[in-house]
Amino acid sequence: MDDLMVRGVAAGGLIRACAAVTTGLVEEARVRHKTEPTATAALGRVLTGAALLTSGLKEHDTVTLRVLGDGPLGAIVATADAHGNIRGYVQNPEINLPPAGPGKLDVGLAVGKNGFLHITKDLGLKEPYTGSVPLRTGEIGDDLAAYFLVSEQVPSAVNLGVLVNPDGTVQSSGGYLIQLMPGVKDEQIEEIENIIYSLQPISTLVSLGWGPRRILEEILGHLDFKQLEETELRFNCKCSRERLETVLISLGKEEIESILALEGEAEVKCHFCGEVYRFNRHELEKIKEAAVSLK
């Protein structure tokens, strides 16, 4: 199944919803960052959450989701754009904790409950907008739901899940976001809650072959769900040799001279995708000249 996000409405537009299958991009993130199972599950949830947050973004808009808890994983960061390009990393990818129960990786403990969830939206204005909420559980989905309620005053159901195989590879990954606008009836809310509680975990549904549209129709089909948009998703980083060269130039002449004296070359790794760029002595000399000319 290809990675895909579907966005739609129900109840005459009073309910906004989106769902995503992210198995492929989470597996690519696992390979790139060499994550252990607990780290894979946490990073996968954040990557999926970032994908869901792109619903409604325009052409050049981007959103960044940062989860900064006091658990051993450290920072988890993902950024996504309106075209389905998603990238992200976890600070300590080697973390793997004992399971919290049968088939349940302990993401909450690995993330930690003390800390903050930050969402930054760059909508092409003078300054990006950032909203933050304290972490509630560290499970990511619950924390995102708290963000929508506190920061945007929109009651929301957020479900994120990653199923990891015994060999550490990603079997399935996905999530959904259901948002209630003013005017939704109490009985409609109760019906939605009952359906959600009756469903198997989202990662299980994806492993069974459920796509995002089927997930949303299962939850909202009785309220006349209508699909509005479908977006292909992929792990895709904006890094390039030229961008990393700019980073080296920003270090300044003295720092580059120190690298030349001690190492003779430089190796720069992109946090978001793990790609490594190497610069030899000749290239560093040219970069040093560029740094001097900036002064």
Side-chain angles (χ1 to χ4, degrees):
M1 183 188 304
D2 294 333
D3 288 354
L4 198 66
M5 183 173 73
V6 165
R7 180 173 69 89
V9 294
L14 295 179
I15 298 173
R16 300 186 306 209
C18 56
V21 169
T22 57
T23 307
L25 71 90
V26 174
E27 171 62 11
E28 180 165 351
R30 180 196 71 82
V31 172
R32 284 181 171 273
H33 296 298
K34 299 178 174 61
T35 51
E36 291 293 324
T38 309
T40 299
L43 176 57
R45 292 186 192 182
V46 173
L47 289 166
T48 304
L52 297 176
L53 288 169
T54 64
S55 178
L57 291 185
K58 294 182 174 61
E59 183 75 8
H60 301 295
D61 298 348
T62 61
V63 62
T64 299
L65 172 57
R66 292 179 293 145
V67 178
L68 309 177
D70 63 349
L73 285 175
I76 313 172
V77 181
T79 183
D81 65 22
H83 306 286
N85 299 303
I86 305 163
R87 58 180 183 155
Y89 67 92
V90 56
Q91 187 175 356
N92 297 310
E94 74 283 357
I95 296 301
N96 191 32
L97 302 183
K104 179 171 174 55
L105 294 167
D106 203 342
V107 171
L109 184 62
V111 170
K113 295 181 181 179
N114 296 312
F116 288 86
L117 178 147
H118 307 280
I119 294 176
T120 301
K121 294 182 179 180
D122 189 342
L123 307 178
L125 305 174
K126 284 187 176 180
E127 296 291 336
Y129 165 78
T130 298
S132 306
V133 292
L135 293 175
R136 300 292 179 88
T137 66
E139 295 285 344
I140 315 300
D142 297 336
D143 304 302
L144 268 175
Y147 168 85
F148 285 117
L149 184 61
V150 173
S151 293
E152 300 186 5
Q153 288 78 54
V154 180
S156 305
V158 185
N159 198 318
L160 308 170
V162 179
L163 189 59
V164 180
N165 290 314
D167 65 358
T169 58
V170 177
Q171 180 173 327
S172 59
S173 177
Y176 61 78
L177 166 64
I178 313 291
Q179 297 191 297
L180 309 177
M181 302 297 106
V184 180
K185 298 176 182 178
D186 289 342
E187 56 265 31
Q188 292 174 325
I189 297 173
E190 185 176 352
E191 288 173 348
I192 293 169
E193 289 176 341
N194 289 335
I195 293 170
I196 288 174
Y197 291 145
S198 70
L199 287 176
Q200 296 184 77
I202 183 70
S203 57
T204 301
L205 296 179
V206 174
S207 72
L208 292 173
W210 286 38
R213 183 184 178 101
R214 181 176 177 183
I215 292 167
L216 292 177
E217 287 180 336
E218 186 71 21
I219 299 171
L220 300 171
H222 66 291
L223 295 173
D224 192 26
F225 171 76
K226 288 183 171 59
Q227 178 174 322
L228 299 178
E229 190 177 54
E230 182 177 282
T231 305
E232 293 183 5
L233 305 176
R234 67 198 66 81
F235 190 102
N236 187 31
C237 190
K238 295 180 180 179
C239 75
S240 66
R241 191 171 186 81
E242 290 72 23
R243 283 175 180 259
L244 273 297
E245 186 175 302
T246 302
V247 172
L248 286 172
I249 291 172
S250 70
L251 295 177
K253 172 177 174 288
E254 289 76 15
E255 184 66 26
I256 297 170
E257 284 180 339
S258 176
I259 294 172
L260 282 165
L262 294 173
E263 305 291 339
E265 60 181 12
E267 184 177 282
V268 185
K269 182 177 181 180
C270 175
H271 277 304
F272 277 99
C273 69
E275 193 74 26
V276 175
Y277 296 86
R278 293 178 175 84
F279 298 85
N280 59 34
R281 178 176 291 277
H282 176 69
E283 290 168 325
L284 282 178
E285 290 286 0
K286 293 182 67 175
I287 289 170
K288 184 180 75 171
E289 292 173 9
V292 172
S293 67
L294 285 178
K295 284 192 172 183

